[in-house]
Amino acid sequence: MSIAHSSLNHHLRIPLAAEVHSRPSLRLMGPETLTHLAVYSREDRGVDADHGTFQHELLAALCQYFGVASPHRDAKYFFHDFGPFRLQWESHTEFATYTFAEQRERAAAIEHLFDQVALRHVPEKWLHSLDGTLMAATHVVMQHMSATLTEMRQQFGGNLLVGSESQNFAKVWTDFAIAPDGFGRVVVQDTGMQYQQAGRLVQRVLEVETYRMMALLGLPRAQQAAPVLNGIETELARLSLDMSDRVDAPNAAHGEDDESHLLQKITALAARMEKLAMENSYRFAASKAYYRLVQARIDELRETRIPGVPTIREFMDRRLAPAMNTCESMVRRQEALAERIGRTNDLLRTRVGIVQEQQNRRILESLNTRAAQQLRLQQAVEGLSVVAISYYSIGLVSYAGKALKAAGVPVNPDVVTGIMIPVLVMAVWLGLRRMHHKVSSHAVESKRA
């Protein structure tokens, strides 16, 4: 039973299974000459879609020149034998690599290793279309040869020679420098490589060079960020000192530059710091990832030292590691400065909150004073109310006594009025007091509820 096209398969099973075979190394049988180009997408294009379009347009133009069908726009890998040379193309997140390989009929003499390179078959018009995008360019020669250390140094123009023996079947020589023709140079001395070993070895060496250059893209960002961070640190120190002076002299007159103004400055400083971190975070993270790839490819080389020559790992530890440490220290410095700004912001907000609480306390004290004044005024009004109500009540009693006397009742209105004055005053006072007590009790219950 076949399940090749069965509905039993997950829709991603076949593409995921093919992913591990999507980027095979070149099959090289010495003597070979290779040219490796790493084409970086223009930074002003910005998005991944533009990156893919730009890289596929370059590849399509090259294929069109030789009358070859270009791959689909979604392709990440392309290999084709053009006859005079073979091309391997790979698309990565930020760049694409073009590896041109040409097999020589015979090994070249040591002094003529780079006289004829695989890139000579590529039209110059296409090379000019790479304007401003070439990140790495390296010529590689792989062949059996016997050469002394002095002859190999002369081949690299007397530069610091870097070399090592890889797994006892090849020696790798380079200087990681750009020659007068604008290309780096690598010599792979075949001392007995087996099937596919040559392709894997060359691919690792080229990836070390490509990822090294991509990792170094973070160094200019770190150098540009340093003075900006210095300015932010200076301003933060000044604001912190100003805050300290205000704490030491809380009652001093500060004019318009009060805590709210300081808070605005701290907030603006935090915004500047966040903007700087956003601009650099991707590049620093990418540099860190590329550096890890460099270290991984060097591990895969399994280097053995050649007496008198530094290994590739030693060269990277001395030259690349300090640059990556600079980027890493800049990341830590950004994070530490952002935390300091955050703490200062929190302290200032706390101080502003304390000032506001003090203002609220003064407002409440003023309200309490006014309430006490209103209470005394209310008590005075209540006294006048007792007098007024008693006065009118006594007048009513007087009129009632006079009416009774006129009706023939033997009563003296003046005596009755005099007797009722204290009784009425006391009754009115008790009535008002009882009503005031009931209103106060109802208000307290409402607050508790």
Side-chain angles (χ1 to χ4, degrees):
M1 176 181 178
S2 174
I3 61 171
H5 303 286
S6 173
S7 60
L8 299 175
N9 291 323
H10 189 277
H11 69 283
L12 293 177
R13 180 194 173 201
I14 294 177
L16 290 178
E19 181 64 25
V20 296
H21 305 285
S22 61
R23 300 178 188 269
S25 57
L26 283 171
R27 296 183 179 181
L28 303 177
M29 297 294 293
E32 293 265 7
T33 177
L34 303 94
T35 299
H36 177 79
L37 304 178
V39 180
Y40 184 62
S41 296
R42 294 183 182 274
E43 294 185 354
D44 54 3
R45 293 177 179 264
V47 298
D48 293 340
D50 289 338
H51 158 75
T53 301
F54 171 68
Q55 298 293 355
H56 280 85
E57 286 176 354
L58 288 177
L59 179 60
L62 183 61
C63 291
Q64 183 179 4
Y65 178 84
F66 289 98
V68 174
S70 60
H72 191 269
R73 288 186 174 271
D74 295 333
K76 301 296 182 182
Y77 176 87
F78 173 74
F79 174 82
H80 187 77
D81 189 344
F82 288 83
F85 67 94
R86 309 183 306 280
L87 170 64
Q88 177 177 273
W89 174 85
E90 294 184 22
S91 178
H92 299 266
T93 303
E94 296 184 286
F95 63 95
T97 59
Y98 297 76
T99 304
F100 304 91
E102 178 186 5
Q103 188 169 11
R104 288 176 170 175
E105 295 180 358
R106 64 179 65 88
I110 184 67
E111 64 271 13
H112 300 293
L113 288 178
F114 296 98
D115 287 355
Q116 289 187 339
V117 295
L119 194 63
R120 73 180 189 275
H121 302 289
V122 178
E124 291 188 5
K125 181 180 179 180
W126 183 83
L127 290 176
H128 290 313
S129 67
L130 304 181
D131 180 35
T133 61
L134 199 59
M135 180 57 63
T138 307
H139 291 316
V140 181
V141 172
M142 186 199 72
Q143 65 181 34
H144 293 277
M145 71 178 76
S146 59
T148 64
L149 188 57
T150 301
E151 291 175 332
M152 198 60 69
R153 284 198 175 99
Q154 291 175 351
Q155 182 62 33
F156 289 92
N159 294 330
L160 174 65
L161 187 61
V162 179
S164 62
E165 189 171 1
S166 177
Q167 304 180 39
N168 297 320
F169 57 71
K171 292 181 180 179
V172 179
W173 306 91
T174 185
D175 58 357
F176 290 107
I178 298 178
D181 61 356
F183 289 85
R185 294 184 175 183
V186 176
V187 175
V188 178
Q189 188 176 353
D190 187 356
T191 58
M193 285 186 285
Q194 302 297 322
Y195 178 70
Q196 288 191 339
Q197 287 180 330
R200 291 196 299 268
L201 176 63
V202 170
Q203 182 177 15
R204 290 164 185 164
V205 173
L206 292 176
E207 286 178 347
V208 167
E209 173 63 12
T210 302
Y211 293 141
R212 174 180 74 98
M213 296 300 296
M214 294 300 298
L216 285 172
L217 281 175
L219 182 59
R221 290 289 187 94
Q223 294 170 339
Q224 294 170 5
V228 178
L229 290 178
N230 292 337
I232 294 177
E233 285 181 339
T234 301
E235 188 170 353
L236 179 61
R238 184 182 62 81
L239 292 176
S240 300
L241 181 61
D242 197 359
M243 287 177 56
S244 178
D245 293 340
R246 291 171 183 273
V247 172
D248 295 338
N251 297 323
H254 299 293
E256 297 180 357
D257 190 17
D258 55 5
E259 281 77 7
S260 298
H261 188 51
L262 277 179
L263 186 59
Q264 292 178 359
K265 289 184 176 181
I266 289 290
T267 303
L269 208 60
R272 287 176 55 192
M273 189 68 243
E274 186 64 22
K275 180 176 180 293
L276 182 64
M278 289 180 61
E279 291 175 348
N280 295 331
S281 60
Y282 174 79
R283 179 45 53 199
F284 288 155
S287 293
K288 185 177 181 180
Y290 287 130
Y291 182 51
R292 288 179 178 175
L293 289 173
V294 170
Q295 293 175 314
R297 297 303 180 265
I298 293 176
D299 290 338
E300 293 171 1
L301 290 176
R302 302 178 188 176
E303 292 183 288
T304 303
R305 174 184 292 278
I306 298 175
V309 180
T311 64
I312 296 177
R313 181 182 296 279
E314 291 173 344
F315 180 86
M316 292 300 173
D317 288 343
R318 286 200 307 266
R319 305 298 177 88
L320 181 60
M324 296 300 98
N325 291 338
T326 299
C327 296
E328 186 66 23
S329 65
M330 195 59 59
V331 172
R332 292 195 296 268
R333 186 180 176 190
Q334 286 184 168
E335 293 174 350
L337 187 55
E339 291 178 358
R340 286 175 54 193
I341 293 176
R343 290 195 298 268
T344 305
N345 194 8
D346 292 340
L347 289 174
L348 186 56
R349 287 183 182 276
T350 302
R351 177 167 174 79
V352 171
I354 293 175
V355 172
Q356 291 177 347
E357 288 180 0
Q358 292 175 348
Q359 293 176 349
N360 293 337
R361 180 183 299 176
R362 288 194 292 269
I363 293 173
L364 290 175
E365 290 176 354
S366 176
L367 292 176
N368 290 335
T369 302
R370 291 182 181 180
Q373 293 174 352
Q374 291 177 354
L375 179 60
R376 289 193 295 269
L377 181 61
Q378 181 181 357
Q379 291 175 348
V381 171
E382 287 180 355
L384 294 176
S385 299
V386 171
V387 173
I389 295 174
S390 299
Y391 174 78
Y392 287 111
S393 299
I394 291 171
L396 293 175
V397 171
S398 176
Y399 286 129
K402 290 179 180 180
L404 290 174
K405 181 178 179 181
V409 178
V411 62
N412 189 346
D414 295 333
V415 174
V416 173
T417 302
I419 294 173
M420 292 300 296
I421 287 175
V423 175
L424 291 175
V425 170
M426 182 61 66
V428 171
W429 182 78
L430 290 175
L432 290 176
R433 185 176 179 83
R434 183 177 180 182
M435 183 180 63
H436 178 71
H437 180 70
K438 290 180 65 176
V439 171
S440 299
S441 299
H442 180 72
V444 170
E445 291 177 358
S446 299
K447 289 182 179 180
R448 291 178 179 177

